[in-house]
Amino acid sequence: MTALTLVAAVLAVATLGAALMALTTRSTAIAVLSAGLVSLFASVLFLLLAAPDVAMTEAAIGSGLTTFLFFFVLGRIRREGSK
Amino acid sequence: MTTRSFIPLVLLALLGTVFFALFVGFTPDETLNRTASYYATQTVPETGAQNVVTAIIVTYRGLDTLGEVTVLFLTAAIVGLVLAQSKAPKGRSGSGFLPSGELLTTGTRMLVPVILLFGAYVFANGHLTPGGGFQGGAIVASGLLLMLLADPAERFSHRLISRIESSAGLIYVILGLLGMIFAGGFLDNRILPLGWFGSVFSAGAIPLIYILIGLKVGAEFSSILTSLEDTEDAQ
Amino acid sequence: MMLSQIAMALGFSLILLGLYGALTNRDIIRMIVSFTIASTGVNVVLVSVGYLPGRSAPILDEAVPVAEAATRITDPVPQALVLTAIVIGLGVTALMLAYAYRLFRARGSLDISDFTELKW
């Protein structure tokens, strides 16, 4: 088992952990953050899989803009729900 | 366990069996398949691009990319349409957030030009380094996002965004048609000289097309963000 | 296990986890979160199929001379596919969120069991 495979295995475990957290946590905000974390870990994995283009896209769009969109809508819903 | 949570588990177990069979039957290839080795050997003589992924996206599968930015345009338009009824009247802060502090405002003023410049760098160098129109467009949209966060009351001109978006799309299609007239086919990049391999002004029309894609994607993301921003609280 | 097999196993698990979350959650926002996890899983599987052990990224610079390209780079086609899939994924997520927001405005609730008009 080479160092690269070891790093990938650790990353895979971390990604699965983040995904499980996104599904089991009670708080929606933590779920959104964990889904962003899954994307971020996946983008590192893409880098290991020799796909730098995909890694860049996933980091910028998958974990950046998507998480922001979720929080934007969540914030609106919170504010209107509390009225 | 009730049937409600039982049925999804059964479905997922079936799907998992399929996935497991696929996973067990998978052996990684030792060599590239025919399509991939064509791209690997012919990219440089035919397109002059260093980044093979860019060459595939912009020239070989350029029509698919045109379809893709069209899909993105449609989603931006539908998001605008869905949220149009709850749009805030002019001059009022849509989101109702308080203006942010001095730190964020000053930081935004300093950072936004740099972010926009970095986005432009990423999409102009798409044929040389990892990156390109989609990543650059996302970076440009994140600069605009920072401006929205710093001053929630600020309204961006939808007209300007849609002008940029539609003119980029129009020039993209015209470049594709020029490829049919002067070179081998729709979206052929050889309408411009291929240039010196590895320099910024090389690979024919690829940098030009990717800049247009970057502008279009950035404008579409910005349009999604601003139409979310413009909505108003329910009474 | 090899790198591509680890990545593929992870991708399949993410798809299953995401679909499980989408099927069992009652909150619409949580369903959308689960969908984004599943779509990340699909992307990981696709990229791992294109990975060839020991090869480098499909960029032909000093490290990978043009003449040796066919024996030194990984498969670029799945990468191009996934690149577009990620961008479309954001568009679809934005669309789902906009609809969820409209549903909340119309009914004041995000629980899927409150929307029973199409149920039979």
Side-chain angles (χ1 to χ4, degrees), chain B residues 74-96:
Chain B
L74 274 177
T75 49
I78 295 172
V79 167
L81 186 71
V82 167
L83 297 174
Q85 285 182 6
S86 41
K87 203 168 170 182
K90 260 205 160 78
R92 277 180 56 187
S93 158
S95 56

Side-chain angles (χ1 to χ4, degrees), chain B residues 1 12 41 69 111 117 127 139 168 175 200 209:
Chain B
M1 192 181 282
L12 288 176
T41 51
V69 288
L111 275 179
L117 189 66
H127 57 303
I139 293 171
L175 276 177
V200 175
I209 295 176

Side-chain angles (χ1 to χ4, degrees), chain B:
Chain B
M1 192 181 282
T2 57
T3 42
R4 253 196 106 80
S5 59
F6 190 60
I7 295 172
L9 279 180
V10 171
L11 286 176
L12 288 176
L14 289 175
L15 196 61
T17 322
V18 174
F19 284 167
F20 187 72
L22 281 175
F23 176 69
V24 169
F26 171 73
T27 45
D29 290 342
E30 289 299 315
T31 52
L32 292 178
N33 56 32
R34 279 183 61 200
T35 323
S37 54
Y38 177 85
Y39 288 143
T41 51
Q42 300 301 311
T43 292
V44 171
E46 282 185 5
T47 67
Q50 273 192 343
N51 189 342
V52 184
V53 177
T54 299
I56 293 176
I57 288 180
V58 177
T59 54
Y60 293 117
R61 300 256 69 87
L63 192 61
D64 298 353
T65 309
L66 183 60
E68 190 211 344
V69 288
T70 313
V71 170
L72 207 58
F73 165 70
L74 274 177
T75 49
I78 295 172
V79 167
L81 186 71
V82 167
L83 297 174
Q85 285 182 6
S86 41
K87 203 168 170 182
K90 260 205 160 78
R92 277 180 56 187
S93 158
S95 56
F97 296 128
L98 293 173
S100 57
E102 187 65 33
L103 201 61
L104 187 56
T105 318
T106 315
T108 304
R109 259 186 229 133
M110 281 163 60
L111 275 179
V112 163
V114 185
I115 292 177
L116 293 185
L117 189 66
F118 179 59
Y121 169 80
V122 167
F123 56 65
N125 279 284
H127 57 303
L128 301 177
T129 52
F134 297 110
Q135 295 92 328
I139 293 171
V140 167
S142 70
L144 187 121
L145 176 61
L146 197 57
M147 282 156 79
L148 282 180
L149 285 180
D151 187 5
E154 186 168 334
R155 288 300 181 79
F156 291 93
S157 155
H158 279 279
R159 179 167 295 180
L160 178 70
I161 291 176
S162 66
R163 286 265 166 82
I164 292 176
E165 201 272 327
S166 47
S167 51
L170 190 66
I171 302 173
Y172 185 17
V173 174
I174 290 175
L175 276 177
L177 291 176
L178 284 179
M180 279 176 95
I181 299 169
F182 296 111
F186 190 67
L187 281 172
D188 195 323
N189 68 319
R190 282 170 290 187
I191 51 175
L192 294 173
L194 290 188
W196 184 254
F197 175 67
S199 62
V200 175
F201 295 102
S202 67
I206 286 184
L208 208 56
I209 295 176
Y210 231 4
I211 287 172
L212 291 173
I213 293 176
L215 284 177
K216 196 163 157 66
V217 170
E220 278 151 359
F221 284 162
S222 310
S223 138
I224 292 178
L225 290 173
T226 48
S227 41
L228 273 170
E229 169 75 23
D230 282 355
T231 51
E232 184 196 30
D233 284 5
Q235 298 308 314

Side-chain angles (χ1 to χ4, degrees), chain A:
Chain A
M1 200 178 218
T2 60
L4 202 64
T5 347
L6 199 65
V7 174
V10 172
L11 260 178
V13 172
T15 317
L16 276 183
L20 280 175
M21 183 137 117
L23 296 187
T24 53
T25 176
R26 295 181 61 83
S27 145
T28 310
I30 293 179
V32 172
L33 277 182
S34 310
L37 205 60
V38 170
S39 274
L40 207 60
F41 284 147
S43 84
V44 181
L45 195 68
F46 288 143
L47 204 59
L48 294 183
L49 288 170
D53 284 278
V54 183
M56 266 182 91
T57 319
E58 181 79 39
I61 297 177
S63 69
L65 281 178
T66 309
T67 311
F68 172 78
L69 275 181
F70 271 112
F71 272 117
F72 201 93
V73 173
L74 262 184
R76 304 305 303 276
I77 287 171
R78 282 254 168 89
R79 270 164 35 80
E80 290 179 28
S82 64
K83 260 191 209 167

